[in-house]
Amino acid sequence: MTSVCSAHCIPTRPAHASGCLQLNTGSVLIGKPSLGSWLSYGLGTLNESLPSFVVMTDPRGGPISGPSNWTAGYMPAAFQGTLFRGKGVPLLDLATPANTSDRTQRHTLDLVAQLNREHLQSRPGDSELAAPHPVL
């Protein structure tokens, strides 16, 4: 069984981008880690093939200043939130393209995974490349 923690505890409507940032990161400046990033950094995750935390936006629209509200800031990219959209498809580019066979899709995913590994090896220390991604 999977445990899920939902923090829907700060109902507010900041009127300015700096207010949203301060609410979510503790600072009015862009580039600071969000609360979710600090929580996933401190608590860790039991599943390396899933994001450590997700962001679920209101179907009427996301927060002012967008992804800066769930960024990892200066922390490694593994601690950044993953956006689940409130309307339409929650995660973009997740479905297999139409008219693509399972064999072709598997070959494509294997090739992309190999190219990603080679790209990462040529750029050691880049946390955005090293961030965990769903298993392909």
Side-chain angles (χ1 to χ4, degrees):
M1 174 179 250
T2 301
S3 297
V4 175
C5 172
S6 175
H8 186 135
C9 56
I10 310 173
T12 185
R13 290 190 160 270
H16 302 284
S18 59
C20 281
L21 286 172
Q22 188 164 23
L23 177 70
N24 290 299
T25 68
S27 173
V28 297
L29 302 174
I30 291 176
K32 304 289 183 175
S34 66
L35 176 61
S37 295
W38 283 113
L39 286 172
S40 61
Y41 173 77
L43 298 175
T45 180
L46 296 175
N47 189 334
E48 293 182 11
S49 64
L50 294 173
S52 58
F53 81 99
V54 298
V55 177
M56 296 179 283
T57 59
D58 189 308
R60 297 170 291 183
I64 301 169
S65 68
S68 296
N69 288 287
W70 55 85
T71 183
Y74 49 78
M75 296 171 70
F79 302 110
Q80 180 163 309
T82 298
L83 175 64
F84 279 18
R85 288 161 178 76
K87 279 186 183 175
V89 179
L91 293 170
L92 298 178
D93 303 319
L94 195 58
T96 301
N99 301 320
T100 301
S101 70
D102 289 344
R103 182 175 181 215
T104 299
Q105 180 70 353
R106 179 77 268 155
H107 177 73
T108 301
L109 292 175
D110 291 344
L111 176 61
V112 169
Q114 176 187 345
L115 293 172
N116 283 343
R117 284 189 299 274
E118 291 172 8
H119 188 71
L120 175 60
Q121 288 174 352
S122 69
R123 291 158 182 82
D126 188 334
S127 75
E128 290 188 16
L129 295 175
H133 301 286
V135 175
L136 299 177

